[in-house]
Amino acid sequence: KAGVTQTPRYLIKTRGQQVTLSCSPISGHRSVSWYQQTPGQGLQFLFEYFSETQRNKGNFPGRFSGRQFSNSRSEMNVSTLELGDSALYLCASSHGQATGGLSIQYFGAGTRLSVL
Amino acid sequence: GQSLEQPSEVTAVEGAIVQINCTYQTSGFYGLSWYQQHDGGAPTFLSYNALDGLEETGRFSSFLSRSDSYGYLLLQELQMKDSASYFCAVKYYGNNRLAFGKGNQVVVIP
């Protein structure tokens, strides 16, 4: 079974630009979550999509948005990039049961975004 | 608050035992998870504690005490490949959101 695939792996942008990152989850997984990872802050939750609907949202500005398609693939968009957006963006998929216990997150290798 | 605290770095020799602690300040969660991340790699799931007590998975064990708001991951018989960052995470009641600690880097030396 193929793992979680994120594209592109590396991206360099300049301030003010926008960027779209892509995530293909494990086949059969309906939940996709996005995280921002920086050395100082660890993994910060951005949002989670389940069956094309945003189910949870973290504390990030509205410049960060996402969507999920009917095949569970997800995209994340960051508009008006700032230097502080430089980070590793990780996507994770899971079966996504609505409530309760263990829901193992399977992570992709991430997209490393550098904003100059 | 609902933060998870982890100390930042530990260095240990091959064959040693390392304990990574995780303290948290939330009561409404399903369980405590642990993830491992090698440099440049994706985080991978290691262990989960839904109930208080010890869970053992090979050389790794994880412990949870809800009354003490505390958990730990125990790495035994350390190997070079265990050099990585280790994150604890909780899943809050009512949603599918995982909140991660800032991680603890383990460096294994010969």
Side-chain angles (χ1 to χ4, degrees):
Chain A
K1 200 181 224 186
V4 177
T5 303
Q6 290 188 249
T7 56
R9 288 295 314 277
Y10 303 93
L11 208 47
I12 299 175
K13 292 285 186 180
T14 56
R15 279 181 300 175
Q17 287 187 308
Q18 75 164 13
V19 66
T20 299
L21 313 181
S22 180
C23 172
S24 293
I26 290 173
S27 177
H29 285 187
R30 297 167 65 190
S31 169
V32 173
S33 297
W34 288 90
Y35 298 85
Q36 182 194 65
Q37 186 175 27
T38 56
Q41 296 299 317
L43 281 89
Q44 301 284 305
F45 174 81
L46 280 154
F47 28 66
E48 184 225 359
Y49 286 87
F50 180 82
S51 294
E52 302 180 65
T53 301
Q54 188 181 85
R55 190 160 66 172
N56 289 290
K57 190 177 189 307
N59 299 322
F60 278 80
R63 300 185 296 108
F64 292 81
S65 63
R67 58 178 176 168
Q68 187 179 33
F69 302 96
S70 58
N71 60 358
S72 292
R73 190 178 70 86
S74 177
E75 287 182 348
M76 190 192 100
N77 185 275
V78 188
S79 62
T80 320
L81 283 166
E82 301 177 358
L83 295 180
D85 297 333
S86 294
L88 180 67
Y89 290 88
L90 291 162
C91 158
S93 75
S94 68
H95 288 291
Q97 62 265 32
T99 59
L102 174 62
S103 179
I104 298 174
Q105 301 266 298
Y106 295 86
F107 285 84
T111 294
R112 187 164 295 281
L113 172 65
S114 296
V115 182
L116 307 178
Chain B
Q2 296 181 312
S3 62
L4 292 92
E5 298 294 326
Q6 291 184 259
S8 57
E9 183 174 321
V10 62
T11 301
V13 297
E14 277 186 293
I17 298 173
V18 162
Q19 179 172 314
I20 303 167
N21 299 321
C22 176
T23 57
Y24 53 87
Q25 297 176 359
T26 181
S27 57
F29 68 98
Y30 290 107
L32 185 69
S33 300
W34 289 91
Y35 285 77
Q36 177 193 60
Q37 184 180 29
H38 289 102
D39 264 353
T44 56
F45 172 80
L46 284 179
S47 186
Y48 176 73
N49 292 75
L51 304 173
D52 283 7
L54 193 67
E55 292 286 339
E56 295 179 87
T57 312
R59 296 185 297 112
F60 295 174
S61 302
S62 58
F63 173 82
L64 174 64
S65 169
R66 288 178 184 265
S67 59
D68 296 322
S69 297
Y70 165 75
Y72 68 72
L73 179 70
L74 194 69
L75 315 180
Q76 301 178 79
E77 300 171 26
L78 276 177
Q79 301 177 7
M80 297 297 290
K81 66 179 180 179
D82 298 331
S83 291
S85 292
Y86 294 84
F87 297 88
C88 60
V90 296
K91 181 182 170 187
Y92 298 114
Y93 284 147
N95 62 59
N96 236 29
R97 172 177 173 168
L98 263 185
F100 284 83
K102 293 186 179 178
N104 184 303
Q105 186 172 9
V106 173
V107 178
V108 182
I109 58 176

